[in-house]
Amino acid sequence: MDRLDNTVRPYAWGSPTAIPALLGVEPTGEPQAEMWMGAHPGAPSRTARGTLVEVIEADPEHELGATTTAKFGPRLPFLLKLLAAGAPLSLQVHPDLRQAREGHEDEERRGIAVDAPHRNYKDANHKPELICALTEFDGLCGFRDPARAAALLDGLDVPSLKPYVDLLPARPEDAALREVLTALLTADRDDMAHTVAEAAAACDRLGGDYAPYAGIAHHYPGDPGVIAAMLLNHVRLQPGEALFLGAGVPHAYLSGLGVEIMANSDNVLRCGLTPKHVDVPELLRIVRFEPGDPGVLRPEAGPDGEEVYDTPVDEFRLSRHVLAEGAAARDLTLPTPQILLCTAGAVHAGEHRLTPGHSVFVPAGEKAEVSGAGTLFRATVVV
Protein backbone atom coordinates (compact mmCIF):
# COMPACT_ATOMS: atom_id res chain seq x y z
CA MET A 1 0.00 0.00 0.00
CA ASP A 2 1.03 3.59 -0.59
CA ARG A 3 0.12 6.36 1.85
CA LEU A 4 -1.22 9.30 -0.16
CA ASP A 5 -0.21 12.92 0.20
CA ASN A 6 -3.11 14.83 -1.34
CA THR A 7 -3.63 18.33 -2.70
CA VAL A 8 -6.36 20.61 -1.35
CA ARG A 9 -7.86 22.90 -3.99
CA PRO A 10 -8.67 26.45 -2.75
CA TYR A 11 -11.72 27.20 -4.92
CA ALA A 12 -13.59 30.32 -3.84
CA TRP A 13 -16.76 28.41 -2.87
CA GLY A 14 -14.91 26.18 -0.42
CA SER A 15 -15.41 26.17 3.33
CA PRO A 16 -12.38 27.57 5.19
CA THR A 17 -12.98 25.27 8.16
CA ALA A 18 -14.61 21.92 7.23
CA ILE A 19 -11.60 20.07 5.77
CA PRO A 20 -9.15 21.43 8.40
CA ALA A 21 -11.59 20.34 11.15
CA LEU A 22 -11.72 16.81 9.71
CA LEU A 23 -7.94 16.68 9.44
CA GLY A 24 -7.49 18.13 12.92
CA VAL A 25 -5.34 21.05 11.73
CA GLU A 26 -5.63 24.81 12.03
CA PRO A 27 -7.50 26.61 9.23
CA THR A 28 -5.41 28.84 7.00
CA GLY A 29 -8.17 31.41 6.61
CA GLU A 30 -8.41 30.58 2.90
CA PRO A 31 -11.20 28.47 1.35
CA GLN A 32 -10.37 24.77 1.21
CA ALA A 33 -12.86 23.28 -1.25
CA GLU A 34 -11.68 19.85 -2.39
CA MET A 35 -9.01 17.35 -1.44
CA TRP A 36 -8.18 15.15 -4.43
CA MET A 37 -7.20 11.49 -4.10
CA GLY A 38 -6.20 9.77 -7.29
CA ALA A 39 -4.23 10.15 -10.50
CA HIS A 40 -5.85 13.18 -12.08
CA PRO A 41 -3.06 15.03 -13.95
CA GLY A 42 -4.24 18.36 -12.50
CA ALA A 43 -3.33 17.36 -8.93
CA PRO A 44 -2.19 13.74 -8.61
CA SER A 45 -1.71 12.23 -5.17
CA ARG A 46 1.92 11.82 -4.13
CA THR A 47 3.46 8.64 -2.75
CA ALA A 48 6.93 7.58 -1.63
CA ARG A 49 7.34 6.13 -5.14
CA GLY A 50 6.41 9.36 -6.96
CA THR A 51 3.06 10.79 -8.02
CA LEU A 52 0.27 8.25 -8.48
CA VAL A 53 0.31 9.11 -12.20
CA GLU A 54 3.99 8.15 -12.37
CA VAL A 55 3.46 5.00 -10.31
CA ILE A 56 0.67 3.77 -12.58
CA GLU A 57 2.45 4.73 -15.81
CA ALA A 58 5.51 2.73 -14.74
CA ASP A 59 3.55 -0.56 -14.55
CA PRO A 60 -0.20 -0.21 -15.28
CA GLU A 61 -1.02 -3.91 -15.14
CA HIS A 62 0.66 -4.39 -11.78
CA GLU A 63 -0.96 -1.31 -10.19
CA LEU A 64 -4.42 -1.55 -11.79
CA GLY A 65 -4.67 -5.25 -12.64
CA ALA A 66 -4.94 -6.76 -16.10
CA THR A 67 -8.75 -6.70 -16.16
CA THR A 68 -9.00 -3.03 -15.13
CA THR A 69 -6.33 -2.04 -17.65
CA ALA A 70 -8.06 -3.95 -20.44
CA LYS A 71 -11.41 -2.32 -19.66
CA PHE A 72 -10.40 1.28 -18.94
CA GLY A 73 -6.90 1.63 -20.34
CA PRO A 74 -3.67 2.29 -18.40
CA ARG A 75 -5.16 4.91 -16.06
CA LEU A 76 -7.10 5.06 -12.81
CA PRO A 77 -10.67 5.66 -14.04
CA PHE A 78 -11.97 7.47 -10.94
CA LEU A 79 -11.15 10.46 -8.77
CA LEU A 80 -12.02 10.45 -5.07
CA LYS A 81 -12.48 13.73 -3.18
CA LEU A 82 -13.36 15.32 0.08
CA LEU A 83 -15.66 18.19 -0.91
CA ALA A 84 -16.45 21.07 1.45
CA ALA A 85 -18.97 23.58 0.12
CA GLY A 86 -19.14 26.83 2.05
CA ALA A 87 -21.05 28.56 -0.77
CA PRO A 88 -23.09 27.24 -3.72
CA LEU A 89 -21.21 25.71 -6.61
CA SER A 90 -22.23 26.51 -10.19
CA LEU A 91 -25.43 25.01 -11.54
CA GLN A 92 -24.08 22.43 -13.97
CA VAL A 93 -24.59 19.33 -16.07
CA HIS A 94 -22.29 16.65 -17.50
CA PRO A 95 -22.38 14.90 -20.90
CA ASP A 96 -22.76 11.19 -21.50
CA LEU A 97 -19.88 9.27 -23.04
CA ARG A 98 -21.03 9.69 -26.66
CA GLN A 99 -21.65 13.41 -26.22
CA ALA A 100 -18.26 13.88 -24.56
CA ARG A 101 -16.44 12.11 -27.38
CA GLU A 102 -18.30 14.05 -30.07
CA GLY A 103 -17.85 17.38 -28.30
CA HIS A 104 -14.16 16.80 -27.61
CA GLU A 105 -13.51 15.75 -31.21
CA ASP A 106 -15.35 18.82 -32.52
CA GLU A 107 -13.45 21.27 -30.31
CA GLU A 108 -10.13 19.60 -31.16
CA ARG A 109 -10.96 19.87 -34.86
CA ARG A 110 -11.79 23.58 -34.45
CA GLY A 111 -8.49 24.18 -32.67
CA ILE A 112 -9.95 25.48 -29.39
CA ALA A 113 -7.22 25.48 -26.75
CA VAL A 114 -7.84 23.10 -23.84
CA ASP A 115 -7.46 25.98 -21.38
CA ALA A 116 -9.67 28.40 -23.35
CA PRO A 117 -12.43 29.84 -21.12
CA HIS A 118 -15.12 28.89 -23.68
CA ARG A 119 -13.92 25.29 -24.03
CA ASN A 120 -16.63 22.79 -22.94
CA TYR A 121 -14.90 19.42 -23.44
CA LYS A 122 -11.42 19.16 -21.97
CA ASP A 123 -11.39 15.39 -22.50
CA ALA A 124 -13.41 12.65 -24.22
CA ASN A 125 -14.85 11.08 -21.07
CA HIS A 126 -18.16 11.30 -19.27
CA LYS A 127 -18.38 12.47 -15.65
CA PRO A 128 -20.97 10.63 -13.56
CA GLU A 129 -20.65 11.56 -9.88
CA LEU A 130 -21.67 10.34 -6.44
CA ILE A 131 -21.68 12.56 -3.35
CA CYS A 132 -22.00 10.98 0.10
CA ALA A 133 -22.69 13.32 3.02
CA LEU A 134 -20.39 13.39 6.05
CA THR A 135 -22.36 16.27 7.56
CA GLU A 136 -25.81 17.59 6.72
CA PHE A 137 -25.44 18.43 3.04
CA ASP A 138 -27.67 20.65 0.87
CA GLY A 139 -27.89 20.40 -2.89
CA LEU A 140 -30.06 20.72 -5.98
CA CYS A 141 -30.62 17.67 -8.18
CA GLY A 142 -32.85 17.19 -11.23
CA PHE A 143 -36.01 18.99 -12.28
CA ARG A 144 -39.07 19.39 -10.12
CA ASP A 145 -42.48 18.56 -11.49
CA PRO A 146 -43.25 21.67 -13.61
CA ALA A 147 -46.52 22.32 -11.75
CA ARG A 148 -44.64 22.35 -8.43
CA ALA A 149 -41.99 24.65 -9.88
CA ALA A 150 -44.74 26.97 -11.12
CA ALA A 151 -46.33 27.05 -7.66
CA LEU A 152 -42.98 27.91 -6.06
CA LEU A 153 -42.37 30.77 -8.50
CA ASP A 154 -45.95 31.99 -8.18
CA GLY A 155 -45.57 32.23 -4.43
CA LEU A 156 -42.93 34.94 -4.89
CA ASP A 157 -45.54 37.30 -6.35
CA VAL A 158 -43.02 38.80 -8.82
CA PRO A 159 -44.92 40.06 -11.92
CA SER A 160 -42.04 39.44 -14.36
CA LEU A 161 -42.08 35.74 -13.43
CA LYS A 162 -45.75 35.37 -14.40
CA PRO A 163 -45.03 34.20 -18.00
CA TYR A 164 -42.95 31.31 -16.62
CA VAL A 165 -45.61 30.49 -14.03
CA ASP A 166 -48.21 30.26 -16.79
CA LEU A 167 -46.00 28.31 -19.19
CA LEU A 168 -44.73 25.57 -16.89
CA PRO A 169 -47.99 23.64 -16.39
CA ALA A 170 -49.37 24.42 -19.87
CA ARG A 171 -47.06 22.30 -22.03
CA PRO A 172 -45.71 18.75 -22.02
CA GLU A 173 -43.27 18.61 -19.13
CA ASP A 174 -40.04 18.38 -21.12
CA ALA A 175 -41.07 21.14 -23.53
CA ALA A 176 -42.13 23.46 -20.69
CA LEU A 177 -38.88 22.99 -18.77
CA ARG A 178 -36.79 23.46 -21.91
CA GLU A 179 -38.63 26.65 -22.90
CA VAL A 180 -38.43 28.22 -19.46
CA LEU A 181 -34.74 27.41 -18.94
CA THR A 182 -33.95 28.74 -22.42
CA ALA A 183 -35.86 31.94 -21.70
CA LEU A 184 -34.08 32.47 -18.37
CA LEU A 185 -30.61 32.03 -19.88
CA THR A 186 -31.22 34.17 -22.97
CA ALA A 187 -33.20 37.03 -21.38
CA ASP A 188 -31.87 40.58 -21.31
CA ARG A 189 -29.29 40.59 -18.51
CA ASP A 190 -30.43 43.88 -16.97
CA ASP A 191 -34.09 42.85 -16.98
CA MET A 192 -33.22 39.48 -15.49
CA ALA A 193 -31.04 41.06 -12.81
CA HIS A 194 -34.04 43.16 -11.73
CA THR A 195 -36.28 40.07 -11.66
CA VAL A 196 -33.72 38.15 -9.62
CA ALA A 197 -33.40 41.01 -7.14
CA GLU A 198 -37.19 41.04 -6.63
CA ALA A 199 -37.27 37.27 -6.28
CA ALA A 200 -34.38 37.30 -3.80
CA ALA A 201 -36.13 39.89 -1.62
CA ALA A 202 -39.28 37.75 -1.64
CA CYS A 203 -37.28 34.61 -0.72
CA ASP A 204 -35.73 36.50 2.20
CA ARG A 205 -39.16 37.61 3.38
CA LEU A 206 -40.90 34.26 2.99
CA GLY A 207 -38.21 31.90 4.36
CA GLY A 208 -39.17 28.21 4.70
CA ASP A 209 -38.97 26.48 1.32
CA TYR A 210 -37.58 29.70 -0.14
CA ALA A 211 -34.65 29.99 2.27
CA PRO A 212 -32.16 28.01 0.12
CA TYR A 213 -32.77 30.33 -2.82
CA ALA A 214 -32.31 33.42 -0.66
CA GLY A 215 -28.89 32.03 0.25
CA ILE A 216 -28.06 31.32 -3.41
CA ALA A 217 -29.09 34.86 -4.41
CA HIS A 218 -26.89 36.31 -1.67
CA HIS A 219 -23.85 34.67 -3.28
CA TYR A 220 -24.90 35.29 -6.91
CA PRO A 221 -26.91 38.56 -7.02
CA GLY A 222 -28.65 39.10 -10.33
CA ASP A 223 -27.66 35.72 -11.77
CA PRO A 224 -30.44 34.03 -13.81
CA GLY A 225 -29.30 30.77 -12.26
CA VAL A 226 -31.11 31.85 -9.08
CA ILE A 227 -34.44 31.42 -10.87
CA ALA A 228 -33.23 28.34 -12.76
CA ALA A 229 -32.36 26.77 -9.39
CA MET A 230 -36.02 27.00 -8.40
CA LEU A 231 -36.85 24.60 -11.23
CA LEU A 232 -34.80 21.91 -9.46
CA ASN A 233 -35.38 19.63 -6.49
CA HIS A 234 -33.84 20.87 -3.26
CA VAL A 235 -32.29 17.96 -1.33
CA ARG A 236 -30.93 17.84 2.22
CA LEU A 237 -28.81 14.77 2.83
CA GLN A 238 -28.16 13.42 6.30
CA PRO A 239 -24.73 11.89 7.08
CA GLY A 240 -24.36 8.60 5.23
CA GLU A 241 -26.92 9.47 2.55
CA ALA A 242 -25.81 10.04 -1.04
CA LEU A 243 -26.85 11.36 -4.45
CA PHE A 244 -25.89 9.94 -7.83
CA LEU A 245 -25.60 12.53 -10.62
CA GLY A 246 -25.89 10.93 -14.04
CA ALA A 247 -25.42 12.46 -17.48
CA GLY A 248 -27.72 15.34 -18.36
CA VAL A 249 -29.01 15.90 -14.80
CA PRO A 250 -28.70 19.55 -13.71
CA HIS A 251 -27.35 19.89 -10.19
CA ALA A 252 -25.47 22.07 -7.73
CA TYR A 253 -24.01 21.55 -4.28
CA LEU A 254 -24.95 24.27 -1.81
CA SER A 255 -23.32 23.52 1.54
CA GLY A 256 -21.80 20.73 3.60
CA LEU A 257 -18.94 18.23 3.71
CA GLY A 258 -18.99 15.00 1.75
CA VAL A 259 -17.03 12.25 0.05
CA GLU A 260 -17.34 12.58 -3.72
CA ILE A 261 -16.30 10.10 -6.38
CA MET A 262 -16.49 10.58 -10.14
CA ALA A 263 -15.21 9.32 -13.44
CA ASN A 264 -11.87 10.96 -14.17
CA SER A 265 -13.06 13.87 -16.34
CA ASP A 266 -13.25 17.67 -16.36
CA ASN A 267 -16.26 18.03 -18.66
CA VAL A 268 -18.76 20.54 -17.21
CA LEU A 269 -21.45 22.62 -18.90
CA ARG A 270 -22.68 25.42 -16.66
CA CYS A 271 -26.27 26.64 -16.39
CA GLY A 272 -25.72 29.58 -14.02
CA LEU A 273 -24.47 30.67 -10.60
CA THR A 274 -21.08 31.37 -12.12
CA PRO A 275 -19.05 34.13 -13.78
CA LYS A 276 -17.68 31.47 -16.17
CA HIS A 277 -18.77 30.76 -19.72
CA VAL A 278 -22.32 29.46 -20.26
CA ASP A 279 -22.76 27.88 -23.72
CA VAL A 280 -26.55 27.92 -23.94
CA PRO A 281 -27.00 25.99 -27.24
CA GLU A 282 -24.62 23.21 -26.16
CA LEU A 283 -26.14 23.13 -22.68
CA LEU A 284 -29.62 22.64 -24.11
CA ARG A 285 -28.31 19.75 -26.22
CA ILE A 286 -26.97 18.00 -23.11
CA VAL A 287 -29.64 18.65 -20.45
CA ARG A 288 -32.25 15.95 -19.92
CA PHE A 289 -35.52 17.78 -19.33
CA GLU A 290 -37.03 15.00 -17.26
CA PRO A 291 -38.68 15.84 -13.92
CA GLY A 292 -38.45 13.28 -11.17
CA ASP A 293 -37.40 12.37 -7.67
CA PRO A 294 -33.69 13.00 -7.03
CA GLY A 295 -33.32 9.49 -5.59
CA VAL A 296 -31.47 9.73 -2.29
CA LEU A 297 -29.22 6.67 -1.90
CA ARG A 298 -28.62 4.81 1.33
CA PRO A 299 -25.94 2.13 1.56
CA GLU A 300 -26.93 -1.47 0.98
CA ALA A 301 -25.50 -4.17 3.24
CA GLY A 302 -22.91 -6.33 1.55
CA PRO A 303 -20.67 -9.16 2.73
CA ASP A 304 -18.29 -8.74 5.69
CA GLY A 305 -19.94 -5.56 6.93
CA GLU A 306 -19.40 -3.62 3.71
CA GLU A 307 -22.05 -0.95 2.96
CA VAL A 308 -22.30 -0.30 -0.80
CA TYR A 309 -23.63 2.76 -2.64
CA ASP A 310 -25.09 1.16 -5.76
CA THR A 311 -24.73 3.13 -9.01
CA PRO A 312 -25.15 2.23 -12.71
CA VAL A 313 -21.55 2.97 -13.75
CA ASP A 314 -18.38 0.88 -13.86
CA GLU A 315 -15.71 3.58 -13.51
CA PHE A 316 -16.23 3.69 -9.76
CA ARG A 317 -17.74 1.81 -6.86
CA LEU A 318 -17.96 3.47 -3.44
CA SER A 319 -18.56 1.60 -0.20
CA ARG A 320 -18.16 2.18 3.52
CA HIS A 321 -16.84 0.07 6.40
CA VAL A 322 -17.68 1.03 9.97
CA LEU A 323 -15.15 -0.77 12.15
CA ALA A 324 -15.53 -1.51 15.86
CA GLU A 325 -12.71 -1.69 18.39
CA GLY A 326 -11.79 -5.28 19.16
CA ALA A 327 -13.58 -6.76 16.15
CA ALA A 328 -11.76 -9.12 13.82
CA ALA A 329 -9.72 -7.53 11.06
CA ARG A 330 -11.42 -7.33 7.67
CA ASP A 331 -9.73 -8.48 4.50
CA LEU A 332 -10.46 -5.93 1.74
CA THR A 333 -8.12 -7.46 -0.85
CA LEU A 334 -9.45 -7.07 -4.40
CA PRO A 335 -8.17 -7.80 -7.93
CA THR A 336 -8.85 -4.12 -8.73
CA PRO A 337 -7.11 -0.91 -7.56
CA GLN A 338 -8.45 0.76 -4.41
CA ILE A 339 -8.22 3.97 -2.45
CA LEU A 340 -9.10 3.68 1.23
CA LEU A 341 -10.07 6.91 3.03
CA CYS A 342 -10.63 7.27 6.78
CA THR A 343 -13.32 9.79 7.80
CA ALA A 344 -13.72 9.02 11.52
CA GLY A 345 -11.80 7.34 14.33
CA ALA A 346 -8.50 5.57 13.66
CA VAL A 347 -8.08 2.66 11.27
CA HIS A 348 -5.07 0.45 10.55
CA ALA A 349 -4.68 -0.41 6.87
CA GLY A 350 -1.74 -2.76 6.58
CA GLU A 351 1.19 -0.96 8.20
CA HIS A 352 -0.49 2.45 7.93
CA ARG A 353 -2.49 4.12 10.69
CA LEU A 354 -5.17 6.30 9.14
CA THR A 355 -6.96 9.13 10.93
CA PRO A 356 -9.70 11.33 9.43
CA GLY A 357 -8.82 12.71 6.02
CA HIS A 358 -5.91 10.31 5.43
CA SER A 359 -5.82 7.69 2.70
CA VAL A 360 -3.86 4.93 0.99
CA PHE A 361 -3.69 3.52 -2.53
CA VAL A 362 -3.87 -0.28 -2.73
CA PRO A 363 -2.62 -1.82 -5.99
CA ALA A 364 -4.70 -4.58 -7.55
CA GLY A 365 -4.30 -7.86 -5.69
CA GLU A 366 -2.29 -6.27 -2.86
CA LYS A 367 -3.17 -7.59 0.61
CA ALA A 368 -5.51 -5.09 2.28
CA GLU A 369 -6.35 -5.96 5.87
CA VAL A 370 -8.02 -3.27 8.00
CA SER A 371 -8.85 -3.02 11.69
CA GLY A 372 -9.45 -0.46 14.42
CA ALA A 373 -12.40 1.74 15.40
CA GLY A 374 -13.55 4.16 12.74
CA THR A 375 -15.14 4.73 9.36
CA LEU A 376 -13.37 3.81 6.14
CA PHE A 377 -14.58 4.58 2.61
CA ARG A 378 -13.39 2.29 -0.17
CA ALA A 379 -13.20 3.43 -3.80
CA THR A 380 -12.61 0.93 -6.59
CA VAL A 381 -13.93 -0.03 -10.05
CA VAL A 382 -16.40 -2.56 -11.43
CA VAL A 383 -14.91 -5.10 -13.85
Side-chain angles (χ1 to χ4, degrees), residues 168-179:
L168 280 166
R171 300 280 183 89
E173 292 178 337
D174 57 344
L177 291 166
R178 176 183 289 274
E179 191 164 342

Side-chain angles (χ1 to χ4, degrees), residues 13-345:
W13 49 262
S15 164
T17 58
I19 289 178
L22 185 76
L23 293 170
V25 300
E26 286 296 314
T28 64
E30 299 298 317
Q32 298 192 34
E34 296 180 347
M35 186 171 78
W36 288 18
M37 291 157 278
H40 190 289
S45 298
R46 298 169 294 278
T47 78
R49 297 188 286 157
T51 70
L52 198 51
V53 169
E54 294 167 341
V55 168
I56 291 170
E57 285 180 344
D59 193 346
E61 287 206 6
H62 172 75
E63 303 297 335
L64 304 178
T67 306
T68 300
T69 304
K71 185 168 183 175
F72 300 107
R75 61 185 185 87
L76 190 67
F78 64 82
L79 177 64
L80 184 67
K81 299 179 180 181
L82 281 172
L83 183 147
L89 282 67
S90 61
L91 192 59
Q92 59 189 256
V93 71
H94 306 302
D96 63 26
L97 192 54
R98 177 187 60 79
Q99 291 164 337
R101 287 171 174 167
E102 291 174 354
H104 182 259
E105 181 181 336
D106 175 64
E107 291 184 333
E108 288 287 287
R109 186 173 57 250
R110 290 190 284 140
I112 300 174
V114 172
D115 58 354
H118 62 290
R119 175 101 183 205
N120 294 316
Y121 301 97
K122 299 184 187 302
D123 53 71
N125 200 16
H126 63 165
K127 194 186 178 190
E129 299 176 351
L130 178 76
I131 183 77
C132 178
L134 295 178
T135 65
E136 193 169 74
F137 194 98
D138 274 24
L140 305 171
C141 179
F143 287 107
R144 297 176 186 267
D145 175 90
R148 288 179 52 232
L152 193 70
L153 293 175
D154 195 33
L156 296 172
D157 196 25
V158 174
S160 53
L161 291 177
K162 188 67 164 60
Y164 309 132
V165 171
D166 292 341
L167 178 60
L168 280 166
R171 300 280 183 89
E173 292 178 337
D174 57 344
L177 291 166
R178 176 183 289 274
E179 191 164 342
V180 170
L181 184 63
T182 303
L184 290 171
L185 298 181
T186 57
D188 179 86
R189 296 291 293 188
D190 291 337
D191 290 345
M192 183 53 63
H194 180 72
T195 295
V196 172
E198 284 191 87
C203 287
D204 268 329
R205 183 179 68 254
L206 293 167
D209 289 344
Y210 293 95
Y213 308 101
I216 292 170
H218 171 76
H219 289 284
Y220 297 100
D223 193 304
V226 174
I227 308 300
M230 299 182 75
L231 302 177
L232 305 186
N233 296 295
H234 174 244
V235 184
R236 177 163 292 162
L237 300 177
Q238 297 305 311
E241 295 180 335
L243 281 176
F244 174 71
L245 294 314
V249 177
H251 62 277
Y253 302 145
L254 304 181
S255 64
L257 175 67
V259 174
E260 185 183 40
I261 190 167
M262 61 184 63
N264 212 344
S265 171
D266 288 325
N267 289 326
V268 176
L269 288 104
R270 294 174 177 85
C271 318
L273 310 182
T274 179
K276 295 182 179 179
H277 177 62
V278 177
D279 184 337
V280 176
E282 186 65 10
L283 173 71
L284 296 174
R285 189 177 78 87
I286 299 302
V287 171
R288 293 181 179 175
F289 291 94
E290 301 170 358
D293 186 279
V296 173
L297 293 176
R298 295 172 182 83
E300 300 177 3
D304 302 322
E306 185 176 35
E307 301 172 324
V308 181
Y309 293 91
D310 188 37
T311 66
V313 297
D314 291 346
E315 282 86 352
F316 60 76
R317 177 183 184 272
L318 186 71
S319 62
R320 183 178 68 173
H321 286 263
V322 180
L323 306 174
E325 188 68 56
R330 296 185 188 179
D331 185 358
L332 304 190
T333 306
L334 286 176
T336 52
Q338 306 180 65
I339 291 178
L340 305 179
L341 165 68
C342 177
T343 59

